[in-house]
Amino acid sequence: MPPRLSQSPTDAPKPDLLGRAEIEVLVNAFYDRVRGDETLGVIFDKVAQTNWETHLPKMYAFWETVMFRSGGFTGNPLAAHAKLVPLTDMGRDKFDHWLTLFRSTVDDHFAGENAEHIKRCAEDMANVIYSKINAVPDPRFDPANLTPEQKKRYAQHKSQPTQP
Ligand code: HEM
């Protein structure tokens, strides 16, 4: 095979997430993917009827606040997702799928310490939001600490086929 004279864009070293500019690139790319996605796109565009002109800047502020403590985010993510529960399925498989899209968007654009950190933050928050809005224990908790009633719910939750 002849030697390659130039690197393709995918071979180029990827930057890390350094601030607001990269957060905006990530958020725009992620929600492009979400909107094109068969299951998640419907939740935003049909169920919540999201106004993207306000949602995207809110998400820039959210992730800038999480990563760099400077975005000024003042929303209420738990309430925003709890509102969706009576309207659509917000089960574990939806959160796992959301995480798969999020991780792959990060990996396609960025690499480094902050890129790894934002994926861990997203996983932690997905666990918290999923558990709180569906009233199941956070999967990171030790089941040994649960009450008998919680243990029963935890066993049901664990037996779901989509449980990671
Ligand atoms: C099944 C997975 C998820 C779905 C379907 C979903 C869907 C939504 C929808 C429909 C909204 C409201 C948008 C609007 O204003 O119209 C929203 C808001 C939001 N989501 Fe999610 N989301 C998911 C997971 C997550 C996760 C894991 C995070 C955090 C890592 C997150 C962070 C947020 C934030 C910060 C808001 C704005 C909350 C506010 O208005 O204060 N979402 N989401």
Side-chain angles (χ1 to χ4, degrees), residues 44 48 50 55 58-59 62-63 75-76 80-81 84 94 98 126:
F44 285 87
T50 298
H55 186 59
K58 193 186 283 184
M59 297 310 295
F62 172 71
W63 283 115
N76 185 342
H81 298 94
L84 300 171
K94 292 289 194 320
W98 187 104

Side-chain angles (χ1 to χ4, degrees), residues 4-14:
R4 291 166 65 189
L5 299 176
S6 64
Q7 287 189 320
S8 75
T10 49
D11 291 339
K14 290 177 184 138

